[in-house]
Amino acid sequence: MTFRARHLLGIEPLKPDEIRTVLDLSEHYVDLNRSPEKHADVLRGMTQINMFFEASTRTQASFEIAGKRLGADVMNMAMQASSIKKGETLIDTALTLNAMHPDLLVVRQPNSGAVDLLAQKVNCAVLNAGDGRHEHPTQALLDALTIRRAKGRLQRLTVAICGDIAHSRVARSNILLLGKMENRVRLIGPPTLIPARAADFGVEVYDDMRAGLEGADVVMMLRLQKERMDGGFIPSEREYFHRYGLDAEKLAYAKDDAIVMHPGPMNRGVEIDGTIADDINRSVIQEQVEMGVAVRMAAMDLLAQNLRAARAGDGGIYV
Amino acid sequence: MKTLFKNARLIDPEAETDALGWLLVEGGTILAIGTGQPPAADNVIDCARKCLAPGIVDIGVKVCEPGERHKESFGSAGAAAAAGGVTTMVTRPDTQPAIDTPEVLEFVTRRAREASPVRIKPMAALTKGREGREMVEIGFLQDAGAVAFTDGDQVVENNKVLSRAMTYARSLGALVIAHPQDPGLSAGASATSGKFASLRGLPAVSPMAERMALDRDLALVEMTGVKYHADQITTARALPALERAKGNGRDVTAGVSIHHLTLNELDVGDYRTFFKVKPPLRAETDRVALVEAVASGLIDVICSMHTPQDEESKRLPYEEAAAGAVALETLLPAALRLVHADAIALPRLWRALSLNPARRLGLDTGRLATGAPADLVLFDPDAPFVLDRFTLRSKSLNTPFDGARMQGRVLGTWVAGKHIFEGG
């Protein structure tokens, strides 16, 4: 087995082989999830805590279903309503939970790097479910699985990522993953939503959407994160949709068999036209949700194996 | 009683010389300096060919009294300074409450006298409560001993307020110290914009924010004729503006913190909050340009920007963690990195560490000259060590150099001829 990490904090530390290992195992869980008997017991006896410091519906549900199907005891903690409001620091919260001996900790936090910080203080496996604008590794893995299944490969593809790149952890993880797997990545968006020195990431940057979509195999739309906006990044929603919203006319610049992706939740009529999102010939948005559960099962399975090995005293697993 | 320092490498920043010789001290001042056969004395210190230099004058030390004495006190900061070869701490007014009245300043002076072995020269706020609205009693504060006026990292946004404070300060010959950083562009930023900050997903500020604010300040200097010092210039882009202002004969000087001379943005690594300083660490190209600017004399002063923060303020996600680093004890070995890298000669470095800051504040110290106060530091510039932050004398241990290999040990520190620190 080539997946040796203790935590899944980001795509950055993963090697291409490790990414392939997760995706290969995910295929197995896709099949399992489609069967009537959806249970595996690889996490039996283990406790999984989902700590979401930021509102989330789909990611939290996906992790919860993944954990339950693998036989873990899953607990959801709505951190916005809990002790953090009473002034407890992130580290104290982590130490408190750690004392309850969880095995898997799934964390979403609004600050970049906060999940790394938390992982240093606990002795269970930590999965990053999104930290600020930094990384969202399971999203990038599920996107990769979706692409690989639709295109039959995960290399030498031209992938256009469009929209609010600057505030997007999904974009960062995808840029890293697609780059590691030797794909050509383009970023499309108004310059106010493109991070500084993005061209240094090894990607091509476009502010003209039609030019950016030219010949793309994959079109990945991002949510325009209104809640993250300080205000003033774009003039208006309607101008944004006119210039950067995905509609049939703009999609025609991509390859004829290009697939359309979106991490959800979608703003129909802001970044994507509803008819495109619902076009079963082009859109793989529902499949992304399905792959999300499988990828999270695979990631937790692998981390649990490493955790067991480490606890059994088989030292070398921790890198 | 006469004390003789013999067999010393005398680092004279005024003459920019580095030569073996002896130095004679009597009554707290330097009585004579020479080479060859040393004179007789009551007390003879053999310096064993180590460096003897004027004590460091450090502009911008935060001592957390009043308000946050658990982070640093005059006693602990003074001990750290003595161990670091800093003989004058020029303290910041960004305390709680701010040092903005003669009464608070008197408290500081009294506490300093009681607790600190090194000299304390306090700065006062420029505006009341550092709020940028009304100027402080600049005259009274000057009479009470304030050596400069600054709102610290709180930028006075209102040009009218700042221009009036500068005009008034000019009439008193008072030095105004500013933190050139455009408040709008830098709001919420914890890193320098660039590839590193973008990949880490950290809110970032463009280096241009520093140049814009410096340009604004320099225009007001031109308008008012005030004596002006920029606390920290940290970007290459701000240097041409500084050079122009100096070329035009403005009474302008600039400083830089030791961290911006020895570290860069990549040192933050995996969100290491001890590397979070204000302004944020910059690109390597900026660092190199700053070192050159110190070597050429364009940047006048190197300071520690000593900012104690307790563990709780730093054990937070990077964006939320407090900014600042302690540096009184690491200033000297860190600065010597520039010498060991052949970027700057030792006497030239010492201009920025002692002579220039003393001159700028009108102090008599910072020199190795007959008649000057005997504020001295004896150090071995080559002695290697690995820094362990738990050996620091500050109450707060937030140094970015924990575990770093450094060279340069302080062997002894004297203030007004009095031996206040003996190192191993």
Side-chain angles (χ1 to χ4, degrees):
Chain A
M1 191 182 71
T2 56
F3 188 87
R4 304 182 81 67
R6 179 183 176 183
H7 306 294
L8 181 61
L9 300 177
I11 297 297
E12 194 183 11
L14 296 183
K15 297 178 181 68
D17 258 3
E18 294 181 301
I19 292 168
R20 266 181 227 112
T21 302
V22 178
L23 299 183
D24 292 347
L25 183 60
S26 302
E27 295 283 5
H28 161 72
Y29 285 117
V30 173
D31 295 341
L32 182 81
N33 287 336
R34 286 179 180 178
S35 70
E37 176 55 62
K38 296 179 176 57
H39 271 279
D41 58 1
V42 299
L43 296 186
R44 192 174 57 195
M46 288 193 159
T47 304
Q48 172 193 340
I49 301 181
N50 297 335
M51 288 169 79
F52 280 66
F53 294 88
E54 240 179 31
S56 160
T57 314
R58 57 183 62 215
T59 306
Q60 186 170 341
S62 182
F63 269 109
E64 185 175 353
I65 289 173
K68 284 183 169 161
R69 287 191 181 158
L70 292 178
D73 298 315
V74 184
M75 192 180 101
N76 288 315
M77 296 195 62
M79 300 309 297
Q80 292 152 302
S82 88
S83 48
I84 227 84
K85 285 266 190 282
K86 298 175 194 159
E88 190 176 64
T89 67
L90 176 67
I91 287 177
D92 285 336
T93 308
L95 291 176
T96 304
L97 285 178
N98 191 50
M100 300 179 197
H101 297 292
D103 303 286
L104 295 153
L105 213 49
V106 179
V107 187
R108 169 168 290 187
Q109 229 280 342
N111 292 306
S112 302
V115 182
D116 295 50
L117 176 68
L118 197 144
Q120 292 163 20
K121 307 290 172 187
V122 298
N123 40 31
C124 58
V126 176
L127 289 100
N128 182 0
D131 63 323
R133 311 170 180 183
H134 179 219
E135 283 231 45
H136 191 353
T138 55
Q139 178 71 42
L141 288 164
L142 76 88
D143 288 341
L145 184 63
T146 309
I147 294 170
R148 197 172 80 168
R149 288 168 64 95
K151 292 281 153 200
R153 66 176 198 272
L154 187 59
Q155 54 183 338
R156 300 187 318 280
L157 293 168
T158 299
V159 183
I161 307 177
C162 318
D164 182 3
I165 315 279
H167 298 97
S168 174
R169 52 195 173 217
V170 176
R172 278 174 186 71
S173 288
N174 266 311
I175 291 166
L176 290 167
L177 189 150
L178 293 166
K180 281 175 199 273
M181 306 312 279
E182 299 175 1
N183 296 283
R184 186 171 172 185
V185 178
R186 297 175 179 171
L187 305 182
I188 306 172
T192 46
L193 294 176
I194 299 286
R197 308 300 289 264
D200 294 352
F201 296 179
V203 299
E204 299 157 45
V205 179
Y206 293 84
D207 54 16
D208 176 348
M209 190 162 181
R210 290 173 183 83
L213 290 181
E214 188 77 51
D217 297 291
V218 177
V219 182
M220 199 180 272
M221 301 305 299
L222 296 174
R223 176 180 167 77
L224 183 65
Q225 306 206 20
K226 277 182 280 189
E227 73 270 21
R228 291 276 180 80
M229 297 280 167
D230 289 336
F233 285 85
I234 51 162
S236 70
E237 280 183 13
R238 62 180 189 177
E239 179 160 331
Y240 184 80
F241 181 70
H242 178 70
R243 298 192 62 211
Y244 297 101
L246 187 66
D247 54 20
E249 186 265 326
K250 295 195 196 81
L251 183 57
Y253 285 83
K255 282 191 185 159
D256 291 341
D257 62 348
I259 56 168
V260 174
M261 306 177 74
H262 194 296
M266 276 183 283
N267 298 305
R268 287 169 188 260
V270 179
E271 70 259 357
I272 189 162
D273 188 289
T275 55
I276 300 286
D278 299 332
D279 180 351
I280 53 164
N281 294 317
R282 309 303 292 270
S283 165
V284 292
I285 294 170
Q286 295 308 314
E287 183 162 348
Q288 284 176 275
V289 179
E290 183 190 354
M291 294 307 121
V293 177
V295 155
R296 288 171 181 124
M297 289 167 83
M300 289 198 288
D301 181 355
L302 291 165
L303 288 173
Q305 289 179 41
N306 290 352
L307 188 67
R308 283 205 180 92
R311 285 177 182 167
D314 178 7
I317 218 102
Y318 282 33
V319 286
Chain B
M1 195 181 87
K2 290 178 183 172
T3 304
L4 175 73
F5 295 82
K6 67 167 192 181
N7 202 16
R9 240 178 97 183
L10 299 171
I11 309 299
D12 181 347
E14 241 171 340
E16 290 202 45
T17 54
D18 175 353
L20 277 183
W22 52 263
L23 184 145
L24 191 65
V25 170
E26 188 183 28
T29 54
I30 298 173
L31 190 64
I33 300 172
T35 54
Q37 190 58 39
D42 311 294
N43 179 21
V44 177
I45 297 165
D46 185 349
C47 298
R49 302 169 83 92
K50 301 303 182 206
C51 294
L52 187 67
I56 296 170
V57 178
D58 191 1
I59 299 183
V61 175
K62 171 92 180 266
V63 177
C64 306
E65 286 190 62
E68 294 175 298
R69 211 169 139 185
H70 65 287
K71 292 186 177 178
E72 192 80 290
S73 68
F74 280 102
S76 60
V86 175
T87 51
T88 302
M89 291 195 285
V90 182
T91 55
R92 303 211 305 253
D94 52 346
T95 46
Q96 293 167 5
I99 298 165
D100 59 357
T101 64
E103 291 76 14
V104 185
L105 191 75
E106 264 168 39
F107 164 82
V108 168
T109 329
R110 180 171 56 74
R111 282 288 301 136
R113 205 167 40 236
E114 286 166 5
S116 168
V118 306
R119 296 177 202 266
I120 307 280
K121 296 289 174 187
M123 298 191 280
L126 182 63
T127 66
K128 289 173 187 163
R130 300 166 58 229
E131 287 172 353
R133 287 201 286 269
E134 301 164 62
M135 71 178 90
V136 297
E137 293 171 316
I138 298 178
F140 280 158
L141 282 158
Q142 223 178 7
D143 294 345
V147 294
F149 294 83
T150 178
D151 279 356
D153 61 6
Q154 201 67 43
V155 178
V156 180
E157 285 188 57
N158 187 315
N159 292 337
K160 193 157 249 174
V161 170
L162 184 56
S163 69
R164 283 183 184 146
M166 282 178 159
T167 303
Y168 193 85
R170 196 244 310 137
S171 74
L172 292 163
L175 176 67
V176 168
I177 300 185
H179 179 75
Q181 197 63 223
D182 183 78
L185 280 180
S186 60
S190 60
T192 301
S193 69
K195 184 185 176 191
F196 178 78
S198 290
L199 276 175
R200 284 285 179 274
L202 290 173
V205 57
S206 163
M208 200 57 92
E210 184 170 292
R211 191 187 105 184
M212 285 169 62
L214 183 66
D215 278 338
R216 192 266 320 231
D217 286 0
L218 292 176
L220 291 175
V221 168
E222 189 176 333
M223 188 173 126
T224 61
V226 74
K227 278 164 71 176
Y228 175 90
H229 177 75
D231 67 346
Q232 303 179 71
I233 294 297
T234 62
T235 64
R237 284 192 175 175
L239 293 173
L242 181 64
E243 194 165 17
R244 262 197 315 278
K246 286 188 163 189
N248 291 339
R250 310 275 171 242
D251 195 351
V252 167
T253 51
V256 61
S257 94
I258 189 62
H259 300 117
H260 291 94
L261 289 174
T262 51
L263 304 168
N264 68 31
E265 58 183 347
L266 301 179
D267 285 303
V268 170
D270 287 329
Y271 304 97
R272 294 193 289 172
T273 57
F274 280 12
F275 290 80
K276 182 174 178 180
V277 293
K278 197 176 174 185
L281 291 175
R282 306 298 193 181
E284 176 63 7
T285 49
D286 286 313
R287 191 194 70 82
V288 170
L290 294 169
V291 172
E292 279 170 16
V294 171
S296 75
L298 177 57
I299 288 181
D300 309 85
V301 171
I302 299 174
C303 61
S304 70
M305 222 17 92
H306 181 81
T307 304
Q309 298 289 2
D310 55 16
E311 304 283 303
E312 295 312 315
S313 321
K314 287 287 189 183
R315 281 177 40 165
L316 292 168
Y318 197 84
E319 287 167 56
E320 292 182 354
V326 293
L328 282 166
E329 278 177 81
T330 48
L331 174 57
L332 183 142
L336 286 172
R337 283 185 171 181
L338 307 180
V339 175
H340 293 304
D342 287 327
I344 188 168
L346 199 45
R348 180 47 76 100
L349 174 71
W350 235 262
R351 280 179 94 88
L353 287 172
S354 71
L355 181 68
N356 289 343
R359 273 187 182 163
R360 192 54 174 153
L361 299 170
L363 308 177
D364 200 20
T365 55
R367 301 177 297 140
L368 216 56
T370 305
D375 288 9
L376 301 166
V377 54
L378 178 67
F379 63 96
D380 178 349
D382 301 313
F385 68 101
V386 175
L387 186 87
D388 172 2
R389 71 187 185 110
F390 292 102
T391 63
L392 295 177
R393 287 155 182 84
S394 284
K395 283 191 186 176
S396 297
L397 306 174
N398 53 307
T399 172
F401 293 113
D402 188 35
R405 289 161 210 275
M406 306 190 101
Q407 271 182 284
R409 276 246 184 233
V410 175
L411 303 172
T413 308
W414 290 262
V415 170
K418 189 178 163 206
H419 193 184
I420 58 159
F421 175 77
E422 171 133 22

